[in-house]
Amino acid sequence: MPTLILVRHGRSTANTAGVLAGRTPGVLLDERGTEQAAALPARLAALRLAVAVSSPLERCHQTLRPLLEARPGLAVHTEERISECDYGDWSGRKLAELSDEPLMSVVQQHPSAAAFPGGESMRVMQARAVDAVRDWNDRVAAEHGEDATYVMCSHGDIIKSLVADALGMHLDLFQRIHVDPCSVTAIRYTRLRPFLLRVGDTGDLTPLAPREQSVGADARPSAAGDGTSDAAVGGGGGAP
């Protein structure tokens, strides 16, 4: 199965204002977020990307724009199921104000029981995102091969819920995961299990490339030797 490169959108005006944006229209990248997006093509330069998939929200499309400009042949698809959680009546409100809401402690400590007034539950959020990734895995594998890599730009809670699914964690534990704006989380899916390769990474991503894609590399290690087709005893040797 393919390798999924999950990118959280760059820092937004809502992030700096301390506002829970949700699906509120007009939330764009701030100056720092624009710089983060501009750096993304270089960070992903070692990876041969089959396709790009984006949340429908503008801040995600903005984040992918420099990458698409750097790779004119890279097709981009909008996927509604990886849109931000529908926070309903909480959307657009200050996080400091929401901290006093009784529901906030449920969101933090028992998210599988949390449903936002006028919005959706966190269980539904995770289920739709997982379904989207599984469908895209199948589509990318069918069109580009089992070893293909593709990028998906989404939102913090969506990415955290996908990481929890990949690790076999209950949704109630997903608040232990953290992903910064414009960070990269990488999951390599196989027939038997997913492998979490990066979480919230803001640095060099060259080691994620199969060896034949890396500059100056020889051949990719065998499946038995690279630790990604099954759980390597002792943890594996890591990137060459």
mmCIF file with all atom_site columns, all heavy atoms in Angstrom, residues 143-166:
data_model
loop_
_atom_site.group_PDB
_atom_site.id
_atom_site.type_symbol
_atom_site.label_atom_id
_atom_site.label_alt_id
_atom_site.label_comp_id
_atom_site.label_asym_id
_atom_site.label_entity_id
_atom_site.label_seq_id
_atom_site.pdbx_PDB_ins_code
_atom_site.Cartn_x
_atom_site.Cartn_y
_atom_site.Cartn_z
_atom_site.occupancy
_atom_site.B_iso_or_equiv
_atom_site.pdbx_formal_charge
_atom_site.auth_seq_id
_atom_site.auth_comp_id
_atom_site.auth_asym_id
_atom_site.auth_atom_id
_atom_site.pdbx_PDB_model_num
ATOM 1   N N   . GLU A 1 143 ? -3.636  3.198  -9.387  1.00 0.00 ? 143 GLU A N   1
ATOM 2   C CA  . GLU A 1 143 ? -3.237  4.065  -10.489 1.00 0.00 ? 143 GLU A CA  1
ATOM 3   C C   . GLU A 1 143 ? -1.729  4.289  -10.582 1.00 0.00 ? 143 GLU A C   1
ATOM 4   O O   . GLU A 1 143 ? -1.213  4.582  -11.663 1.00 0.00 ? 143 GLU A O   1
ATOM 5   C CB  . GLU A 1 143 ? -3.946  5.420  -10.365 1.00 0.00 ? 143 GLU A CB  1
ATOM 6   C CG  . GLU A 1 143 ? -5.468  5.324  -10.496 1.00 0.00 ? 143 GLU A CG  1
ATOM 7   C CD  . GLU A 1 143 ? -6.163  6.670  -10.341 1.00 0.00 ? 143 GLU A CD  1
ATOM 8   O OE1 . GLU A 1 143 ? -5.460  7.696  -10.175 1.00 0.00 ? 143 GLU A OE1 1
ATOM 9   O OE2 . GLU A 1 143 ? -7.413  6.697  -10.363 1.00 0.00 ? 143 GLU A OE2 1
ATOM 10  N N   . HIS A 1 144 ? -1.022  4.155  -9.436  1.00 0.00 ? 144 HIS A N   1
ATOM 11  C CA  . HIS A 1 144 ? 0.397   4.522  -9.419  1.00 0.00 ? 144 HIS A CA  1
ATOM 12  C C   . HIS A 1 144 ? 1.302   3.429  -8.846  1.00 0.00 ? 144 HIS A C   1
ATOM 13  O O   . HIS A 1 144 ? 2.523   3.615  -8.817  1.00 0.00 ? 144 HIS A O   1
ATOM 14  C CB  . HIS A 1 144 ? 0.593   5.813  -8.621  1.00 0.00 ? 144 HIS A CB  1
ATOM 15  C CG  . HIS A 1 144 ? -0.172  6.976  -9.159  1.00 0.00 ? 144 HIS A CG  1
ATOM 16  N ND1 . HIS A 1 144 ? 0.275   7.735  -10.219 1.00 0.00 ? 144 HIS A ND1 1
ATOM 17  C CD2 . HIS A 1 144 ? -1.386  7.501  -8.795  1.00 0.00 ? 144 HIS A CD2 1
ATOM 18  C CE1 . HIS A 1 144 ? -0.608  8.692  -10.486 1.00 0.00 ? 144 HIS A CE1 1
ATOM 19  N NE2 . HIS A 1 144 ? -1.623  8.568  -9.643  1.00 0.00 ? 144 HIS A NE2 1
ATOM 20  N N   . GLY A 1 145 ? 0.723   2.341  -8.365  1.00 0.00 ? 145 GLY A N   1
ATOM 21  C CA  . GLY A 1 145 ? 1.527   1.245  -7.835  1.00 0.00 ? 145 GLY A CA  1
ATOM 22  C C   . GLY A 1 145 ? 1.559   1.213  -6.316  1.00 0.00 ? 145 GLY A C   1
ATOM 23  O O   . GLY A 1 145 ? 1.305   2.212  -5.640  1.00 0.00 ? 145 GLY A O   1
ATOM 24  N N   . GLU A 1 146 ? 1.879   0.037  -5.796  1.00 0.00 ? 146 GLU A N   1
ATOM 25  C CA  . GLU A 1 146 ? 1.847   -0.193 -4.358  1.00 0.00 ? 146 GLU A CA  1
ATOM 26  C C   . GLU A 1 146 ? 2.866   0.644  -3.584  1.00 0.00 ? 146 GLU A C   1
ATOM 27  O O   . GLU A 1 146 ? 2.682   0.919  -2.404  1.00 0.00 ? 146 GLU A O   1
ATOM 28  C CB  . GLU A 1 146 ? 2.092   -1.677 -4.074  1.00 0.00 ? 146 GLU A CB  1
ATOM 29  C CG  . GLU A 1 146 ? 1.017   -2.608 -4.601  1.00 0.00 ? 146 GLU A CG  1
ATOM 30  C CD  . GLU A 1 146 ? -0.272  -2.538 -3.797  1.00 0.00 ? 146 GLU A CD  1
ATOM 31  O OE1 . GLU A 1 146 ? -0.218  -2.131 -2.631  1.00 0.00 ? 146 GLU A OE1 1
ATOM 32  O OE2 . GLU A 1 146 ? -1.328  -2.903 -4.349  1.00 0.00 ? 146 GLU A OE2 1
ATOM 33  N N   . ASP A 1 147 ? 3.955   1.037  -4.233  1.00 0.00 ? 147 ASP A N   1
ATOM 34  C CA  . ASP A 1 147 ? 5.008   1.785  -3.546  1.00 0.00 ? 147 ASP A CA  1
ATOM 35  C C   . ASP A 1 147 ? 4.883   3.292  -3.725  1.00 0.00 ? 147 ASP A C   1
ATOM 36  O O   . ASP A 1 147 ? 5.810   4.039  -3.387  1.00 0.00 ? 147 ASP A O   1
ATOM 37  C CB  . ASP A 1 147 ? 6.389   1.335  -4.037  1.00 0.00 ? 147 ASP A CB  1
ATOM 38  C CG  . ASP A 1 147 ? 6.702   -0.089 -3.621  1.00 0.00 ? 147 ASP A CG  1
ATOM 39  O OD1 . ASP A 1 147 ? 6.231   -0.497 -2.546  1.00 0.00 ? 147 ASP A OD1 1
ATOM 40  O OD2 . ASP A 1 147 ? 7.407   -0.784 -4.373  1.00 0.00 ? 147 ASP A OD2 1
ATOM 41  N N   . ALA A 1 148 ? 3.760   3.744  -4.234  1.00 0.00 ? 148 ALA A N   1
ATOM 42  C CA  . ALA A 1 148 ? 3.582   5.171  -4.492  1.00 0.00 ? 148 ALA A CA  1
ATOM 43  C C   . ALA A 1 148 ? 3.507   5.967  -3.183  1.00 0.00 ? 148 ALA A C   1
ATOM 44  O O   . ALA A 1 148 ? 3.169   5.444  -2.119  1.00 0.00 ? 148 ALA A O   1
ATOM 45  C CB  . ALA A 1 148 ? 2.325   5.401  -5.319  1.00 0.00 ? 148 ALA A CB  1
ATOM 46  N N   . THR A 1 149 ? 3.825   7.247  -3.296  1.00 0.00 ? 149 THR A N   1
ATOM 47  C CA  . THR A 1 149 ? 3.727   8.185  -2.181  1.00 0.00 ? 149 THR A CA  1
ATOM 48  C C   . THR A 1 149 ? 2.818   9.331  -2.604  1.00 0.00 ? 149 THR A C   1
ATOM 49  O O   . THR A 1 149 ? 2.917   9.831  -3.729  1.00 0.00 ? 149 THR A O   1
ATOM 50  C CB  . THR A 1 149 ? 5.117   8.743  -1.813  1.00 0.00 ? 149 THR A CB  1
ATOM 51  O OG1 . THR A 1 149 ? 5.964   7.656  -1.425  1.00 0.00 ? 149 THR A OG1 1
ATOM 52  C CG2 . THR A 1 149 ? 5.040   9.747  -0.675  1.00 0.00 ? 149 THR A CG2 1
ATOM 53  N N   . TYR A 1 150 ? 1.931   9.738  -1.723  1.00 0.00 ? 150 TYR A N   1
ATOM 54  C CA  . TYR A 1 150 ? 1.070   10.878 -2.049  1.00 0.00 ? 150 TYR A CA  1
ATOM 55  C C   . TYR A 1 150 ? 0.934   11.793 -0.845  1.00 0.00 ? 150 TYR A C   1
ATOM 56  O O   . TYR A 1 150 ? 1.195   11.392 0.289   1.00 0.00 ? 150 TYR A O   1
ATOM 57  C CB  . TYR A 1 150 ? -0.300  10.423 -2.562  1.00 0.00 ? 150 TYR A CB  1
ATOM 58  C CG  . TYR A 1 150 ? -1.242  9.796  -1.569  1.00 0.00 ? 150 TYR A CG  1
ATOM 59  C CD1 . TYR A 1 150 ? -2.371  10.484 -1.110  1.00 0.00 ? 150 TYR A CD1 1
ATOM 60  C CD2 . TYR A 1 150 ? -1.055  8.494  -1.096  1.00 0.00 ? 150 TYR A CD2 1
ATOM 61  C CE1 . TYR A 1 150 ? -3.269  9.904  -0.218  1.00 0.00 ? 150 TYR A CE1 1
ATOM 62  C CE2 . TYR A 1 150 ? -1.943  7.908  -0.217  1.00 0.00 ? 150 TYR A CE2 1
ATOM 63  C CZ  . TYR A 1 150 ? -3.044  8.618  0.227   1.00 0.00 ? 150 TYR A CZ  1
ATOM 64  O OH  . TYR A 1 150 ? -3.933  8.039  1.114   1.00 0.00 ? 150 TYR A OH  1
ATOM 65  N N   . VAL A 1 151 ? 0.569   13.041 -1.105  1.00 0.00 ? 151 VAL A N   1
ATOM 66  C CA  . VAL A 1 151 ? 0.491   14.048 -0.060  1.00 0.00 ? 151 VAL A CA  1
ATOM 67  C C   . VAL A 1 151 ? -0.966  14.452 0.160   1.00 0.00 ? 151 VAL A C   1
ATOM 68  O O   . VAL A 1 151 ? -1.749  14.529 -0.787  1.00 0.00 ? 151 VAL A O   1
ATOM 69  C CB  . VAL A 1 151 ? 1.365   15.277 -0.406  1.00 0.00 ? 151 VAL A CB  1
ATOM 70  C CG1 . VAL A 1 151 ? 0.869   15.989 -1.658  1.00 0.00 ? 151 VAL A CG1 1
ATOM 71  C CG2 . VAL A 1 151 ? 1.425   16.250 0.770   1.00 0.00 ? 151 VAL A CG2 1
ATOM 72  N N   . MET A 1 152 ? -1.305  14.676 1.416   1.00 0.00 ? 152 MET A N   1
ATOM 73  C CA  . MET A 1 152 ? -2.656  15.070 1.789   1.00 0.00 ? 152 MET A CA  1
ATOM 74  C C   . MET A 1 152 ? -2.556  16.215 2.785   1.00 0.00 ? 152 MET A C   1
ATOM 75  O O   . MET A 1 152 ? -1.886  16.087 3.812   1.00 0.00 ? 152 MET A O   1
ATOM 76  C CB  . MET A 1 152 ? -3.382  13.865 2.402   1.00 0.00 ? 152 MET A CB  1
ATOM 77  C CG  . MET A 1 152 ? -4.802  14.128 2.847   1.00 0.00 ? 152 MET A CG  1
ATOM 78  S SD  . MET A 1 152 ? -5.609  12.606 3.483   1.00 0.00 ? 152 MET A SD  1
ATOM 79  C CE  . MET A 1 152 ? -6.065  11.790 1.942   1.00 0.00 ? 152 MET A CE  1
ATOM 80  N N   . CYS A 1 153 ? -3.179  17.340 2.480   1.00 0.00 ? 153 CYS A N   1
ATOM 81  C CA  . CYS A 1 153 ? -3.133  18.512 3.360   1.00 0.00 ? 153 CYS A CA  1
ATOM 82  C C   . CYS A 1 153 ? -4.456  18.643 4.108   1.00 0.00 ? 153 CYS A C   1
ATOM 83  O O   . CYS A 1 153 ? -5.526  18.759 3.498   1.00 0.00 ? 153 CYS A O   1
ATOM 84  C CB  . CYS A 1 153 ? -2.851  19.779 2.563   1.00 0.00 ? 153 CYS A CB  1
ATOM 85  S SG  . CYS A 1 153 ? -2.551  21.231 3.607   1.00 0.00 ? 153 CYS A SG  1
ATOM 86  N N   . SER A 1 154 ? -4.366  18.631 5.430   1.00 0.00 ? 154 SER A N   1
ATOM 87  C CA  . SER A 1 154 ? -5.573  18.650 6.242   1.00 0.00 ? 154 SER A CA  1
ATOM 88  C C   . SER A 1 154 ? -5.336  19.472 7.517   1.00 0.00 ? 154 SER A C   1
ATOM 89  O O   . SER A 1 154 ? -4.553  20.416 7.519   1.00 0.00 ? 154 SER A O   1
ATOM 90  C CB  . SER A 1 154 ? -6.019  17.213 6.546   1.00 0.00 ? 154 SER A CB  1
ATOM 91  O OG  . SER A 1 154 ? -7.287  17.192 7.168   1.00 0.00 ? 154 SER A OG  1
ATOM 92  N N   . HIS A 1 155 ? -5.999  19.085 8.593   1.00 0.00 ? 155 HIS A N   1
ATOM 93  C CA  . HIS A 1 155 ? -6.081  19.891 9.812   1.00 0.00 ? 155 HIS A CA  1
ATOM 94  C C   . HIS A 1 155 ? -5.608  19.089 11.029  1.00 0.00 ? 155 HIS A C   1
ATOM 95  O O   . HIS A 1 155 ? -5.563  17.859 10.993  1.00 0.00 ? 155 HIS A O   1
ATOM 96  C CB  . HIS A 1 155 ? -7.514  20.365 10.007  1.00 0.00 ? 155 HIS A CB  1
ATOM 97  C CG  . HIS A 1 155 ? -8.073  21.042 8.788   1.00 0.00 ? 155 HIS A CG  1
ATOM 98  N ND1 . HIS A 1 155 ? -7.983  22.398 8.581   1.00 0.00 ? 155 HIS A ND1 1
ATOM 99  C CD2 . HIS A 1 155 ? -8.696  20.534 7.695   1.00 0.00 ? 155 HIS A CD2 1
ATOM 100 C CE1 . HIS A 1 155 ? -8.530  22.704 7.411   1.00 0.00 ? 155 HIS A CE1 1
ATOM 101 N NE2 . HIS A 1 155 ? -8.974  21.582 6.857   1.00 0.00 ? 155 HIS A NE2 1
ATOM 102 N N   . GLY A 1 156 ? -5.302  19.799 12.099  1.00 0.00 ? 156 GLY A N   1
ATOM 103 C CA  . GLY A 1 156 ? -4.701  19.188 13.272  1.00 0.00 ? 156 GLY A CA  1
ATOM 104 C C   . GLY A 1 156 ? -5.474  18.012 13.833  1.00 0.00 ? 156 GLY A C   1
ATOM 105 O O   . GLY A 1 156 ? -4.919  16.917 14.021  1.00 0.00 ? 156 GLY A O   1
ATOM 106 N N   . ASP A 1 157 ? -6.756  18.200 14.137  1.00 0.00 ? 157 ASP A N   1
ATOM 107 C CA  . ASP A 1 157 ? -7.529  17.112 14.738  1.00 0.00 ? 157 ASP A CA  1
ATOM 108 C C   . ASP A 1 157 ? -7.714  15.945 13.769  1.00 0.00 ? 157 ASP A C   1
ATOM 109 O O   . ASP A 1 157 ? -7.737  14.782 14.185  1.00 0.00 ? 157 ASP A O   1
ATOM 110 C CB  . ASP A 1 157 ? -8.896  17.624 15.206  1.00 0.00 ? 157 ASP A CB  1
ATOM 111 C CG  . ASP A 1 157 ? -8.813  18.327 16.557  1.00 0.00 ? 157 ASP A CG  1
ATOM 112 O OD1 . ASP A 1 157 ? -7.763  18.233 17.232  1.00 0.00 ? 157 ASP A OD1 1
ATOM 113 O OD2 . ASP A 1 157 ? -9.809  18.968 16.955  1.00 0.00 ? 157 ASP A OD2 1
ATOM 114 N N   . ILE A 1 158 ? -7.832  16.249 12.480  1.00 0.00 ? 158 ILE A N   1
ATOM 115 C CA  . ILE A 1 158 ? -7.949  15.184 11.482  1.00 0.00 ? 158 ILE A CA  1
ATOM 116 C C   . ILE A 1 158 ? -6.678  14.345 11.464  1.00 0.00 ? 158 ILE A C   1
ATOM 117 O O   . ILE A 1 158 ? -6.718  13.105 11.518  1.00 0.00 ? 158 ILE A O   1
ATOM 118 C CB  . ILE A 1 158 ? -8.213  15.782 10.085  1.00 0.00 ? 158 ILE A CB  1
ATOM 119 C CG1 . ILE A 1 158 ? -9.563  16.509 10.039  1.00 0.00 ? 158 ILE A CG1 1
ATOM 120 C CG2 . ILE A 1 158 ? -8.146  14.688 9.015   1.00 0.00 ? 158 ILE A CG2 1
ATOM 121 C CD1 . ILE A 1 158 ? -10.771 15.619 10.124  1.00 0.00 ? 158 ILE A CD1 1
ATOM 122 N N   . ILE A 1 159 ? -5.528  15.010 11.408  1.00 0.00 ? 159 ILE A N   1
ATOM 123 C CA  . ILE A 1 159 ? -4.261  14.286 11.337  1.00 0.00 ? 159 ILE A CA  1
ATOM 124 C C   . ILE A 1 159 ? -4.025  13.479 12.612  1.00 0.00 ? 159 ILE A C   1
ATOM 125 O O   . ILE A 1 159 ? -3.616  12.317 12.563  1.00 0.00 ? 159 ILE A O   1
ATOM 126 C CB  . ILE A 1 159 ? -3.107  15.268 11.063  1.00 0.00 ? 159 ILE A CB  1
ATOM 127 C CG1 . ILE A 1 159 ? -3.275  15.870 9.661   1.00 0.00 ? 159 ILE A CG1 1
ATOM 128 C CG2 . ILE A 1 159 ? -1.747  14.572 11.202  1.00 0.00 ? 159 ILE A CG2 1
ATOM 129 C CD1 . ILE A 1 159 ? -2.325  17.009 9.349   1.00 0.00 ? 159 ILE A CD1 1
ATOM 130 N N   . LYS A 1 160 ? -4.308  14.065 13.755  1.00 0.00 ? 160 LYS A N   1
ATOM 131 C CA  . LYS A 1 160 ? -4.135  13.347 15.021  1.00 0.00 ? 160 LYS A CA  1
ATOM 132 C C   . LYS A 1 160 ? -5.024  12.106 15.069  1.00 0.00 ? 160 LYS A C   1
ATOM 133 O O   . LYS A 1 160 ? -4.609  11.050 15.559  1.00 0.00 ? 160 LYS A O   1
ATOM 134 C CB  . LYS A 1 160 ? -4.439  14.276 16.192  1.00 0.00 ? 160 LYS A CB  1
ATOM 135 C CG  . LYS A 1 160 ? -3.369  15.322 16.428  1.00 0.00 ? 160 LYS A CG  1
ATOM 136 C CD  . LYS A 1 160 ? -3.871  16.476 17.271  1.00 0.00 ? 160 LYS A CD  1
ATOM 137 C CE  . LYS A 1 160 ? -4.424  16.023 18.608  1.00 0.00 ? 160 LYS A CE  1
ATOM 138 N NZ  . LYS A 1 160 ? -4.878  17.168 19.430  1.00 0.00 ? 160 LYS A NZ  1
ATOM 139 N N   . SER A 1 161 ? -6.236  12.214 14.560  1.00 0.00 ? 161 SER A N   1
ATOM 140 C CA  . SER A 1 161 ? -7.140  11.057 14.579  1.00 0.00 ? 161 SER A CA  1
ATOM 141 C C   . SER A 1 161 ? -6.661  9.976  13.624  1.00 0.00 ? 161 SER A C   1
ATOM 142 O O   . SER A 1 161 ? -6.830  8.782  13.892  1.00 0.00 ? 161 SER A O   1
ATOM 143 C CB  . SER A 1 161 ? -8.576  11.486 14.247  1.00 0.00 ? 161 SER A CB  1
ATOM 144 O OG  . SER A 1 161 ? -8.722  11.826 12.880  1.00 0.00 ? 161 SER A OG  1
ATOM 145 N N   . LEU A 1 162 ? -6.023  10.361 12.512  1.00 0.00 ? 162 LEU A N   1
ATOM 146 C CA  . LEU A 1 162 ? -5.467  9.380  11.586  1.00 0.00 ? 162 LEU A CA  1
ATOM 147 C C   . LEU A 1 162 ? -4.256  8.684  12.181  1.00 0.00 ? 162 LEU A C   1
ATOM 148 O O   . LEU A 1 162 ? -4.048  7.485  11.982  1.00 0.00 ? 162 LEU A O   1
ATOM 149 C CB  . LEU A 1 162 ? -5.094  10.057 10.266  1.00 0.00 ? 162 LEU A CB  1
ATOM 150 C CG  . LEU A 1 162 ? -6.276  10.520 9.405   1.00 0.00 ? 162 LEU A CG  1
ATOM 151 C CD1 . LEU A 1 162 ? -5.797  11.408 8.270   1.00 0.00 ? 162 LEU A CD1 1
ATOM 152 C CD2 . LEU A 1 162 ? -7.064  9.327  8.871   1.00 0.00 ? 162 LEU A CD2 1
ATOM 153 N N   . VAL A 1 163 ? -3.442  9.425  12.921  1.00 0.00 ? 163 VAL A N   1
ATOM 154 C CA  . VAL A 1 163 ? -2.309  8.816  13.611  1.00 0.00 ? 163 VAL A CA  1
ATOM 155 C C   . VAL A 1 163 ? -2.803  7.810  14.647  1.00 0.00 ? 163 VAL A C   1
ATOM 156 O O   . VAL A 1 163 ? -2.270  6.697  14.764  1.00 0.00 ? 163 VAL A O   1
ATOM 157 C CB  . VAL A 1 163 ? -1.426  9.889  14.276  1.00 0.00 ? 163 VAL A CB  1
ATOM 158 C CG1 . VAL A 1 163 ? -0.377  9.252  15.181  1.00 0.00 ? 163 VAL A CG1 1
ATOM 159 C CG2 . VAL A 1 163 ? -0.746  10.742 13.211  1.00 0.00 ? 163 VAL A CG2 1
ATOM 160 N N   . ALA A 1 164 ? -3.830  8.188  15.404  1.00 0.00 ? 164 ALA A N   1
ATOM 161 C CA  . ALA A 1 164 ? -4.388  7.277  16.405  1.00 0.00 ? 164 ALA A CA  1
ATOM 162 C C   . ALA A 1 164 ? -4.872  5.991  15.744  1.00 0.00 ? 164 ALA A C   1
ATOM 163 O O   . ALA A 1 164 ? -4.630  4.883  16.249  1.00 0.00 ? 164 ALA A O   1
ATOM 164 C CB  . ALA A 1 164 ? -5.528  7.958  17.158  1.00 0.00 ? 164 ALA A CB  1
ATOM 165 N N   . ASP A 1 165 ? -5.534  6.120  14.603  1.00 0.00 ? 165 ASP A N   1
ATOM 166 C CA  . ASP A 1 165 ? -5.997  4.927  13.885  1.00 0.00 ? 165 ASP A CA  1
ATOM 167 C C   . ASP A 1 165 ? -4.822  4.071  13.439  1.00 0.00 ? 165 ASP A C   1
ATOM 168 O O   . ASP A 1 165 ? -4.845  2.839  13.584  1.00 0.00 ? 165 ASP A O   1
ATOM 169 C CB  . ASP A 1 165 ? -6.830  5.356  12.675  1.00 0.00 ? 165 ASP A CB  1
ATOM 170 C CG  . ASP A 1 165 ? -7.177  4.189  11.770  1.00 0.00 ? 165 ASP A CG  1
ATOM 171 O OD1 . ASP A 1 165 ? -8.042  3.385  12.149  1.00 0.00 ? 165 ASP A OD1 1
ATOM 172 O OD2 . ASP A 1 165 ? -6.561  4.066  10.696  1.00 0.00 ? 165 ASP A OD2 1
ATOM 173 N N   . ALA A 1 166 ? -3.780  4.700  12.907  1.00 0.00 ? 166 ALA A N   1
ATOM 174 C CA  . ALA A 1 166 ? -2.620  3.951  12.433  1.00 0.00 ? 166 ALA A CA  1
ATOM 175 C C   . ALA A 1 166 ? -1.925  3.201  13.566  1.00 0.00 ? 166 ALA A C   1
ATOM 176 O O   . ALA A 1 166 ? -1.387  2.116  13.364  1.00 0.00 ? 166 ALA A O   1
ATOM 177 C CB  . ALA A 1 166 ? -1.630  4.893  11.745  1.00 0.00 ? 166 ALA A CB  1
#
